Amino acid sequence: MSMKSVFSIVTAAFLAPAPARASVEGRWATVNGHRIYYEIHGSGRPLMLLHGGGNNIVRSWERQIVDFSPTRQVIAPEQSGNGHSPDVAGPFSYSQMTEDTAALLRQLGLSGVDVVGWSDGGVVALMLAIRHPELVRRVVATGANTDPSGIPAYVRRGLSSASAANMMVGGVLRDYNAFSPDGPAHAPVIGEKLKQLWLTHPIPSELSMDLLRKIQAPVLVMAGENDVISLGHTLQIYHALPHAELWIVPDTGHAAFVERPELTDPRVLSFLR
């Protein structure tokens, strides 16, 4: 299986052109010794959007910013090595992403925030609710997994055989070249970091069914009808959470928010209300 085929399964949004949008004045924060990029849109009760791995704000959340910002203050960060945020030494880590996200919220003086995460962002949203419950009011997590077994074996085999350069394809590579301060030559480094992250993490100390049972915040567990994360794994996550709702989004894959925003966005706003 080609890497393009693997990414097609993971999310068609990776391969599509990024949507056009008006110029946005981004913001910068220093968290845990390094800089990350973020944006704030709208006003109201804070709502944080956490993008997928290898992704960015514009590709992950362009429509949601439009739909959510009239009634909510939308905070959208980009994790290290993703989007505009420069890479840092060492492998990608869900733990680091979670602590960086918590540090940003504290710098902004925010707590009791609603958090919506897609894929890797869904993992971070759940970890944030476990590690920093005071920061989180409600969680929406779509396409999240608690360990690599949530990804089908054939996809993991495709990832294992992919070169670092071939991890960055289509829209992912175009976005990286357009946004990253590290330059196009650094793209294979990011590709290798994504590959190792998805093949080996989350680890039990980051996320597990036992850890999910500690979450007291209400959680909307989402997945696409044809999601790359197995339905059985998604059901395990749902059953482990003390206060959860489950929604399998019809006629979508891993990128439900990108594929059917007219369906996802009103439902999410209703849950968060």
Side-chain angles (χ1 to χ4, degrees):
M1 179 179 292
S2 71
M3 196 59 236
K4 184 172 181 179
S5 298
V6 171
F7 268 115
S8 297
I9 293 167
V10 172
T11 169
F14 272 147
L15 299 173
R21 69 173 186 167
S23 177
V24 172
E25 183 178 351
R27 309 184 186 204
W28 292 90
T30 299
V31 296
N32 300 312
H34 54 266
R35 299 173 76 227
I36 61 169
Y37 174 91
Y38 70 101
E39 295 176 7
I40 294 181
H41 300 264
S43 60
R45 180 185 287 276
L47 190 167
M48 175 168 271
L49 300 177
L50 299 175
H51 63 76
N55 220 279
N56 54 70
I57 296 167
V58 65
R59 185 173 292 277
S60 293
W61 301 120
E62 186 65 11
R63 174 65 182 270
Q64 285 66 49
I65 289 171
V66 171
D67 289 348
F68 296 163
S69 61
T71 57
R72 307 298 296 268
Q73 181 189 54
V74 177
I75 305 105
E78 290 178 335
Q79 304 291 350
S80 295
N82 290 252
H84 299 76
S85 296
D87 194 18
V88 297
F92 282 161
S93 161
Y94 291 123
S95 292
Q96 186 67 60
M97 295 176 199
T98 302
E99 297 312 313
D100 288 352
T101 303
L104 175 61
L105 286 173
R106 291 197 170 100
Q107 283 191 32
L108 295 174
L110 297 175
S111 61
V113 174
D114 293 330
V115 183
V116 179
W118 167 34
S119 194
D120 283 1
V123 172
V124 173
L126 293 169
M127 289 178 60
L128 194 67
I130 294 165
R131 296 185 176 193
H132 305 282
E134 74 284 358
L135 298 178
V136 177
R137 190 184 79 104
R138 286 184 170 235
V139 174
V140 178
T142 184
N145 59 307
T146 64
D147 61 73
S149 71
I151 302 172
Y154 73 96
V155 177
R156 282 181 274 133
R157 286 194 296 271
L159 289 171
S160 296
S161 63
S163 68
N166 285 339
M167 287 292 296
M168 304 292 281
V169 296
V172 172
L173 184 59
R174 290 192 295 271
D175 286 1
Y176 187 83
N177 291 341
F179 298 146
S180 175
D182 298 317
H186 195 69
V189 176
I190 300 300
E192 183 64 23
K193 289 186 178 189
L194 288 170
K195 173 181 174 178
Q196 294 306 319
L197 179 72
W198 294 340
L199 287 174
T200 62
H201 288 71
I203 57 176
S205 62
E206 292 177 320
L207 203 55
S208 67
M209 299 304 166
D210 285 340
L211 287 173
L212 289 177
R213 293 184 180 96
K214 297 182 177 182
I215 296 178
Q216 293 305 307
V219 180
L220 175 60
V221 178
M222 290 174 51
E225 183 179 14
N226 303 305
D227 208 297
V228 69
I229 303 299
S230 70
L231 177 59
H233 192 82
T234 299
L235 290 172
Q236 284 185 298
I237 291 172
Y238 164 66
H239 287 299
L241 290 160
H243 310 287
E245 297 180 24
L246 176 67
W247 184 32
I248 305 301
V249 188
D251 300 320
T252 58
H254 192 52
F257 277 101
V258 177
E259 295 170 43
R260 298 199 67 186
E262 75 288 349
L263 189 63
T264 59
D265 296 5
R267 176 69 177 85
V268 166
L269 284 174
S270 177
F271 172 78
L272 295 180
R273 282 195 293 267

